Amino acid sequence: MSELVFEEDALIGGFVAQGLYDIDCVKDFGKFVTIGVRSKGKIVAGAVFNNYRVHDGIPFDIQIAFYTASPVWATRSNMEAILRYPFDTLKLKRITAVIKKSNKKVKKLISSLGFQYEGKVRLGWDGKADAYVYGLLQEEAEMCIQNLKENQHG
C-alpha cells in the first residue's frame, strides 16, 4: 500500500535529484514543490514541479521532473493526484516535461498519460545527450484521468 506525501519538498526533491542525476543537485531545481509516494516507510517516487512560467503576472506553465525507484507508486489514484495537482492546486494551463532522449520507459509512460511530443533539444539534457520536450494541457490531463477512472471500473 502506498501513500501520497505533501509538504516534504526537501526530502522528495533530494530523492528525485539523486535518482535523475546521481548527485544531490536539489538547488538546481530552484523554487519548487513536490508530491511523493511513500511505501513501507520509504519514498518510492517523486514529482518535482519547478520552473514556473508567468505571463502578465499569471503562472501558466510548470516543468515536472519525475523519478521512481519502484513500480508500486503507479496506482490510478496516485497518477490522478500527480496529474491534477498543477492544474487544480497551482491553477496552471500546462505541464512541461524534458526527457533524456534515450529514456524509452519514461517516454512511454508520459505518452500514455497524455503528454504530447513537442520537439527535440539538441544536447539539451546535460550538454552531452539530446532531450525531448513533452507537454500536457489541462484538457488532456482531464481526458487521461477520465480514462483511468473508466479502466478502473471496467
Side-chain angles (χ1 to χ4, degrees), residues 18-152:
Q18 181 73 35
L20 289 179
Y21 307 109
D22 199 28
I23 56 172
D24 185 19
C25 65
V26 104
K27 65 183 180 306
D28 291 347
F29 287 134
K31 181 182 174 187
F32 66 93
V33 294
T34 66
I35 299 176
V37 180
R38 182 179 289 137
S39 178
K40 298 180 182 176
K42 290 184 172 182
I43 299 295
V44 295
V48 173
F49 296 98
N50 67 326
N51 292 335
Y52 293 88
R53 292 180 54 212
V54 178
H55 180 71
D56 288 335
I58 301 170
F60 68 94
D61 183 24
I62 199 163
Q63 190 168 327
I64 185 172
F66 187 83
Y67 177 74
T68 180
S70 166
V72 72
W73 78 273
T75 66
R76 287 179 179 95
S77 61
N78 289 345
M79 287 189 273
E80 180 178 348
I82 291 168
L83 287 174
R84 281 193 183 283
Y85 181 77
F87 302 113
D88 293 354
T89 302
L90 302 176
K91 306 297 184 202
L92 300 171
K93 302 285 184 203
R94 61 172 281 131
I95 307 170
T96 299
V98 180
I99 309 299
K100 188 174 183 179
K101 181 182 175 184
S102 62
N103 197 335
K104 293 181 171 121
K105 286 183 181 180
V106 171
K107 289 187 287 188
K108 183 177 178 180
L109 171 66
I110 65 171
S111 294
S112 74
L113 294 174
F115 281 79
Q116 302 296 309
Y117 173 77
E118 295 180 340
K120 179 170 90 171
V121 182
R122 295 175 297 154
L123 304 181
W125 181 253
D126 58 4
K128 299 174 189 169
D130 293 344
Y132 287 154
V133 177
Y134 287 79
L136 181 71
L137 303 179
Q138 185 172 11
E139 311 81 70
E140 295 162 342
E142 289 300 328
M143 286 180 4
C144 178
I145 290 166
Q146 187 61 40
N147 287 340
L148 287 170
K149 288 180 177 179
E150 288 172 5
N151 289 335
Q152 182 177 11

